[in-house]
Amino acid sequence: MQQIRQIVGSEFAAVNDFIIEQLHSKVPLVENIGHYIVDAGGKRLRPLLTLLCAGAIGKAERQHIQLAAVIEFIHTATLLHDDVVDISALRRGRPTANANWGNAPSVLVGDFLYSRAFQILVEIGSLPLMGLLSGTTNTVAEGEVLQLSRAGNADTDEATYFDVIRSKTAVLFGAACEGAAIISDAKQHQKSLYDYGLNLGIAFQLIDDILDYEGDPEETGKNIGDDLAEGKPTLPLIYVLQNGSAQQQELVRHAISNKTAEQLDAIVNAVTTSGALAYCRQSAEHYTQAALNALTPLNDSPYHSALERLTTIALSRRS
């Protein structure tokens, strides 16, 4: 990732500077929480996608830097809200904002980040871009509500699972990429870049759900089985429900329905021995290949190569 970031090093640094500038508020608590969650770091993958896509079709301009910050603010706002909804105490190995300051301030600062994102979009002044991001933000919210409505429901099928991750995760990846083409007035590349981002985002979430059962908490920043304890019927569990032994199916059904990870070791064994993790990884490989295929219309360049390498990183990541 560090080598890829260096390709857009100065632009990436400009995005970080702009983010810090836009976190300014006359209310100190807003700045404190905003800086806390933004400074937690993370991969900054979505802003990186915007900058790489801009380079792949031309050049990253000031408005691309602004868009990259918008994407990060929308993503960060969803994290703040998610942690409140999930009653999470840990993210990226640190206490969550709601654990430190409480639920109400976290939700409200999330709202501040959403509104600041759209203030920046107004400054950019592109109605098509505003349409893309407003629609994307709405879809992300719908995806979160859909996921919440399915929590504890062991009858959730694979199609619904993909509806959830496409909405809550992948569409923002797609918007980060397509938005770069909108700013560059490269209409011929909008669909290709959106498809690249969308498929990469689906693969990214699939690996995330695999790591919930085989990841190292010190690397992932969250405990094994956190999603299980929240009753989230992710693909590894859905696979066991459809293909595991009768005993494994009953074990998983009970855990999801009761939102409990009390038999975590047995469930980790079930998702491993049933072939669930291998199935999920195969699915992630399918979507990364679809992402690679979407890049075909682009000319060869260091930016194009970096976008290709990101698909490999998405599959091999451990955090």
Side-chain angles (χ1 to χ4, degrees):
M1 285 295 292
Q2 188 59 37
Q3 291 176 343
I4 291 176
R5 288 193 191 99
Q6 288 175 355
I7 295 171
V8 287
S10 60
E11 295 90 346
F12 197 77
V15 171
N16 286 330
D17 290 343
F18 185 70
I19 285 173
I20 292 171
E21 173 191 320
Q22 292 301 310
L23 283 173
H24 175 70
S25 169
K26 62 183 180 182
V27 179
L29 184 59
V30 171
E31 283 197 19
N32 291 342
I33 296 177
H35 278 287
Y36 181 81
I37 187 71
V38 169
D39 292 347
K43 302 170 187 64
R44 291 275 204 279
L45 179 55
R46 294 155 190 82
L48 181 61
L49 286 172
T50 297
L51 299 177
L52 289 174
C53 287
I57 58 176
K59 180 182 177 182
E61 305 286 356
R62 165 71 175 176
Q63 290 183 330
H64 290 106
I65 290 167
Q66 291 175 302
L67 172 61
V70 166
I71 296 293
E72 186 68 5
F73 277 174
I74 292 173
H75 172 58
T76 303
T78 65
L79 297 185
L80 282 165
H81 289 171
D82 285 354
D83 287 341
V84 170
V85 171
D86 296 338
I87 321 176
S88 299
L90 195 69
R91 180 176 288 278
R92 294 170 183 159
R94 301 199 315 170
T96 55
N98 50 295
N100 277 349
W101 286 279
N103 288 341
S106 296
V107 169
L108 294 173
V109 171
D111 293 344
F112 168 85
L113 293 176
Y114 274 133
S115 58
R116 180 53 52 88
F118 281 90
Q119 284 181 316
I120 298 168
L121 283 172
V122 169
E123 184 178 336
I124 293 173
S126 167
L127 193 57
L129 186 65
M130 180 75 78
L132 172 66
L133 269 298
S134 59
T136 297
T137 304
N138 191 259
T139 299
V140 170
E142 288 180 329
E144 295 291 353
V145 174
L146 178 59
Q147 178 175 256
L148 183 64
S149 71
R150 304 305 294 183
N153 188 333
D155 293 321
T156 301
D157 59 16
E158 193 169 319
T160 302
Y161 165 80
F162 277 103
D163 281 345
V164 168
I165 68 170
R166 190 175 288 107
S167 297
K168 82 180 189 70
T169 300
V171 294
L172 190 57
F173 278 71
C177 298
E178 183 183 359
I182 291 175
I183 289 175
S184 297
D185 197 25
K187 293 181 181 179
Q188 72 276 22
H189 291 305
Q190 281 183 224
K191 186 180 186 306
S192 294
L193 290 180
Y194 181 81
D195 288 346
Y196 166 80
L198 185 75
N199 285 294
L200 180 67
I202 292 172
F204 189 89
Q205 186 61 55
L206 281 163
I207 297 299
D208 222 40
D209 291 342
I210 290 172
L211 291 176
D212 198 50
Y213 294 97
E214 68 171 20
D216 181 346
E218 291 190 5
E219 292 184 71
T220 63
K222 68 175 191 176
N223 298 316
I224 295 289
D226 275 357
D227 287 349
L228 180 67
E230 294 161 11
K232 293 178 180 177
T234 57
L235 190 57
L237 300 180
I238 293 171
Y239 183 90
V240 175
L241 287 168
Q242 294 175 344
N243 300 279
S245 67
Q247 182 179 6
Q248 289 173 333
Q249 290 182 34
E250 180 55 34
L251 181 70
V252 170
R253 180 171 292 276
H254 176 271
I256 293 175
S257 299
N258 292 278
K259 300 182 181 180
T260 176
E262 61 185 14
Q263 299 189 66
L264 179 60
D265 289 345
I267 291 174
V268 169
N269 182 66
V271 299
T272 302
T273 59
S274 68
L277 296 183
Y279 175 77
C280 293
R281 192 166 293 280
Q282 184 180 34
S283 184
E285 289 170 356
H286 165 79
Y287 283 101
T288 54
Q289 186 58 53
L292 284 170
N293 292 344
L295 293 176
T296 302
L298 300 183
N299 294 328
D300 289 339
S301 70
Y303 306 100
H304 186 173
S305 298
L307 291 169
E308 289 180 330
R309 290 205 302 277
L310 280 175
T311 63
T312 303
I313 290 172
L315 282 177
S316 61
R317 69 191 183 89
R318 302 298 301 171
S319 64

